[in-house]
Amino acid sequence: MRSWFVRLVYALLLLAAPALAGAQTDSKVAISVVPERTTVRPGDQIAIAVRFEFEPGWHSHTNDPQIPPAWGSFPAVPTTIEPDGAQHLTVHPVQWPDGHEILLDLAGTGPEPYAVFEGVAVAYVPVTVSPTAAGKASVTLRVGYQVCDDRTCQFPDTQTFAVVLTVVEPGTVTANDPANAELFRGFDLNAFAATAPAKASSSAFQTNVFGLDIRFDAGGAGLFALLGIALLGGFVLNLTPCVLPVIPLKIMGLSQSAGHPRRMLFLGVVMSIGVITFWLAIAAAMVFISGFKAVNQLFQLPVFTLGVGVFIALMAVGMLGLFTVQLPGVVYLVDPKTESVPGSFLFGVMTAVLSTPCTAPFMAGAVAWSTKQPVFVTLATFGAIGLGMAAPYLVLAAFPRLLARVPKSGPGSELVKKTIGLLMVAVAVFFLGSGLDPMLRQPIDPPIRLHWWLIAAIVVGTVIWLIAKTFRLTKSAPLRAGVAVGGVLFAGATLAIVRAVTDRGPIDWVAYTPERFEQQTAEGRVVVVDFTAEWCLNCKALESAVLHRPEIVGLLNGPGVTPMKVDLTGTNVPGQNKLKELNWVGIPLLAVYGPGLQQPITYDSYTPEMVREAIEKARGPRVGATEPGRGG
């Protein structure tokens, strides 16, 4: 049994191996970071050069990759330079070099013109020294990139550089190093006047949950409040529609060990370790992989979504008692009818995986904040999420009496197991359909939602079967009535949900492209951007409950407003770049742009009143009375 457990842990480490990509020794690019000068005065403005020197035949994606249409959803990782931990420095947006257009065949579709950074490319980070600075001023720059040749790409990589400047007294004569004159020849001095400061890391935490503004200093003792929010967010994940279907499986599994308290507690702890391990692996990926910045970004990979669907389908086979068919050995580890150490660990990992499409309210803010903090803070935040999610199972395992009434054997228990197994088939269809959808269309095309009706058919068929079996197994009128009424209500609710999900809705959405967005904002329109995905059930719930209200529909379809949808079901590179531009991780997210706003208003949870107020603020002063067109 121990060998199986070791193998599982080793397999999990292999899955997390890309997190070690930053340690690649066969790098095809040399990166150096050089400040314009190392001695500065309070109030000085200087540039920091980030120099990339590529080996012949190698290059990286630009900071804003423009994917050729023939490549489809090719996952290009943009080159990034992110400030972290600036002290006595204000960091301005990066001044990027122009890309060089060359012919590449990275998607196997034939050579296409594509802009890259190659040869020697220099980006500049403008910084302003604080007027009150003294002694030292510093900033850490995290440089992320992916190196490719004409057909293949290496793992994404990240390097970190610390820049320390000596601050001298005002009036002291300072000068640039003449040896750097050529390096800084391309820097545009207007960068300081034309741009606003870039957002750097801060201990200030702020989020908005359905109109409740939460803000405090998460540094020092405030970190414990932040970890408390992460714990609560992890616990709430158990109540989302992504996780709820598997909770009865674990409860029934634990009930099998209720007569052996030590064994039950041990298995509960092992499962919790599986949950926490997954979240720590996600934290490591965010820290070490430059292209991975969102908790639910896993489900933007159709292959991953399909894999989850297949795994759940195999679990359903076990619940239905069909393991007489020869299946891969790993399937038997998570047979819900038996409790084992590797099975409990892997079940914990799977439970955490299922939660990633459903980000709990107020958890997204904690995750976004933590990714810009030191590594130990990021790990602690994600560990707290895992602990909060595992807490209910730990409580059940520690107090076996709570499971005393759960049936352990008999016809009734078997009926419940097989009912859950059939419902798990519906869950598997959800993930399989969500994984196939982006592979069969382009991100700006309408989603294919036929799998939702298959889900409805499975649920209705399961309810009919359950009612018929119940009438055969028992003559108890109250039990028969309860199962019949509950089943009909469940089937009716499922049909209502499927109808709502498959309905295109009353809003005249415009599919997001950078060109369409620029056109609408240039015309002075309010643009309401909804970041969503077919696998994001929270997104669909918010859209149905808030955006489909008649008064909000009237605003979104009304004069001067363009509702725009960013579909992140698959690898939508322009959409992902737009999300990153907002300095945000995860979905749902609603962003409101307009002439009345210097910065967009963003919400990951919102009410009709919040949406209405944001649109009114975004309108700004009314100019003219004509209605500009939306364009294509």
Side-chain angles (χ1 to χ4, degrees):
M1 181 173 295
R2 181 179 300 176
S3 63
W4 271 112
F5 183 70
V6 172
R7 290 179 189 177
L8 282 172
V9 174
Y10 181 66
L12 189 66
L13 291 175
L14 286 179
L15 290 174
L20 303 177
Q24 293 175 155
T25 58
D26 188 25
S27 178
K28 302 299 182 180
V29 59
I31 302 176
S32 57
V33 174
V34 181
E36 199 169 6
R37 59 179 181 271
T38 57
T39 302
V40 295
R41 298 164 296 193
D44 274 359
Q45 295 178 325
I46 68 168
I48 300 172
V50 180
R51 184 179 184 272
F52 301 81
E53 184 173 356
F54 297 90
E55 292 187 9
W58 292 86
H59 47 77
S60 72
H61 306 287
T62 65
N63 59 298
D64 184 21
Q66 301 299 311
I67 305 302
W71 291 4
S73 57
F74 178 79
V77 177
T79 301
T80 59
I81 301 174
E82 298 177 345
D84 189 14
Q87 298 291 328
H88 304 303
L89 293 175
T90 297
V91 183
H92 300 266
V94 178
Q95 184 184 116
W96 292 98
D98 294 330
H100 296 167
E101 192 171 271
I102 60 177
L103 291 177
L104 292 179
D105 186 17
L106 296 180
T109 58
E112 295 284 342
Y114 181 58
V116 299
F117 293 152
E118 64 174 353
V120 174
V122 182
Y124 300 101
V125 182
V127 297
T128 299
V129 184
S130 169
T132 60
K136 299 289 184 182
S138 64
V139 64
T140 299
L141 298 179
R142 295 172 59 182
V143 182
Y145 57 93
Q146 184 180 38
V147 178
C148 308
D149 60 14
D150 61 342
R151 290 183 179 274
T152 61
C153 292
Q154 294 185 345
F155 280 127
D157 204 348
T158 301
Q159 294 189 42
T160 302
F161 300 87
V163 178
V164 180
L165 307 176
T166 300
V167 182
V168 297
E169 294 293 329
T172 304
V173 177
T174 61
N176 296 342
D177 185 345
N180 293 336
E182 185 63 29
L183 179 61
F184 288 91
R185 191 178 302 278
F187 177 60
D188 183 1
L189 293 175
N190 292 323
F192 295 104
T195 60
K199 293 183 179 179
S201 298
S202 168
S203 62
F205 172 75
Q206 179 180 358
T207 190
N208 190 293
V209 183
F210 298 112
L212 176 63
D213 191 29
I214 303 174
R215 61 178 72 197
F216 56 86
D217 187 351
L223 178 60
F224 292 100
L226 188 281
L227 295 179
I229 289 176
L231 275 168
L232 183 59
F235 172 79
V236 172
L237 283 175
N238 290 293
L239 307 179
T240 64
C242 303
V243 180
L244 273 176
V246 301
I247 290 180
L249 296 181
K250 194 57 189 176
I251 291 176
M252 294 181 69
L254 286 174
S255 70
Q256 303 296 323
S257 305
H260 307 278
R262 290 186 179 179
R263 175 72 175 174
M264 185 176 180
L265 178 59
F266 176 67
L267 293 176
V269 170
V270 170
M271 180 196 171
S272 300
I273 291 174
V275 174
I276 296 170
T277 299
F278 171 82
W279 284 105
L280 289 177
I282 290 292
M286 287 191 170
V287 170
F288 296 110
I289 301 178
S290 61
F292 188 85
K293 296 299 179 187
V295 180
N296 50 27
Q297 192 172 340
L298 289 171
F299 284 89
Q300 294 176 23
L301 302 174
V303 173
F304 181 85
T305 309
L306 289 171
V308 172
V310 170
F311 189 81
I312 294 175
L314 293 176
M315 283 191 59
V317 169
M319 292 297 295
L320 295 172
L322 300 178
F323 272 166
T324 54
V325 180
Q326 187 64 34
L327 296 170
V330 69
V331 175
Y332 299 89
L333 295 178
V334 288
D335 182 356
K337 294 181 179 179
T338 60
E339 286 288 303
S340 64
V341 173
S344 294
F345 179 82
L346 194 56
F347 195 95
V349 173
M350 188 208 68
T351 304
V353 169
L354 290 179
S355 71
T356 54
C358 295
T359 304
F362 52 73
M363 194 185 86
V367 169
W369 179 88
S370 72
T371 57
K372 300 174 181 62
Q373 306 305 312
V375 173
F376 82 92
V377 176
T378 305
L379 293 174
T381 302
F382 279 80
I385 292 171
L387 182 59
M389 187 176 183
Y393 309 104
L394 283 173
V395 171
L396 289 174
F399 300 97
R401 292 182 180 179
L402 297 175
L403 298 174
R405 296 187 178 182
V406 177
K408 300 176 180 60
S409 62
S413 176
E414 286 300 312
L415 178 60
V416 172
K417 288 179 181 178
K418 290 183 178 180
T419 300
I420 295 175
L422 289 171
L423 295 178
M424 290 295 289
V425 173
V427 175
V429 170
F430 164 73
F431 284 105
L432 291 172
S434 298
L436 287 172
D437 173 71
M439 300 174 69
L440 300 175
R441 64 179 177 90
Q442 295 297 319
I444 62 173
D445 294 334
I448 303 168
R449 294 171 173 166
L450 293 177
H451 64 284
W452 280 100
W453 291 107
L454 178 56
I455 292 172
I458 293 172
V459 170
V460 171
T462 299
V463 167
I464 294 173
W465 178 83
L466 173 64
I467 294 173
K469 283 289 187 179
T470 301
F471 272 68
R472 288 183 182 180
L473 288 175
T474 181
K475 294 182 179 180
S476 170
L479 185 56
R480 285 180 170 184
V483 172
V485 172
V488 170
L489 291 176
F490 181 71
T494 300
L495 288 172
I497 291 172
V498 170
R499 181 179 178 182
V501 167
T502 55
D503 184 8
R504 299 299 176 186
I507 301 172
D508 299 330
W509 292 107
V510 174
Y512 171 82
T513 66
E515 295 76 17
R516 290 174 179 175
F517 178 82
E518 292 298 331
Q519 178 185 348
Q520 300 304 304
T521 54
E523 292 176 354
R525 298 178 64 87
V526 173
V527 182
V528 180
V529 183
D530 181 25
F531 293 84
T532 184
E534 286 300 293
W535 41 258
C536 180
L537 300 184
N538 286 3
C539 302
K540 294 179 180 295
L542 273 172
E543 184 176 324
S544 178
V546 178
L547 300 184
H548 287 181
R549 291 174 68 98
E551 64 272 26
I552 303 302
V553 172
L555 282 174
L556 294 177
N557 289 341
V561 179
T562 298
M564 189 166 284
K565 181 167 289 189
V566 179
D567 186 355
L568 297 176
T569 301
T571 310
N572 182 350
V573 175
Q576 292 168 353
N577 289 340
K578 192 65 180 176
L579 187 67
K580 183 178 180 181
E581 178 185 298
L582 291 168
N583 199 31
W584 203 266
V585 292
I587 55 176
L589 179 67
L590 195 74
V592 182
Y593 298 78
L597 300 173
Q598 292 185 345
Q599 297 292 332
I601 298 173
T602 55
Y603 297 121
D604 64 342
S605 56
Y606 46 84
T607 64
E609 186 60 31
M610 293 166 65
V611 176
R612 186 184 304 110
E613 290 181 359
I615 292 175
E616 291 306 315
K617 289 180 181 178
R619 290 186 190 277
R622 300 298 296 271
V623 180
T626 59
E627 162 69 1
R630 290 186 179 177

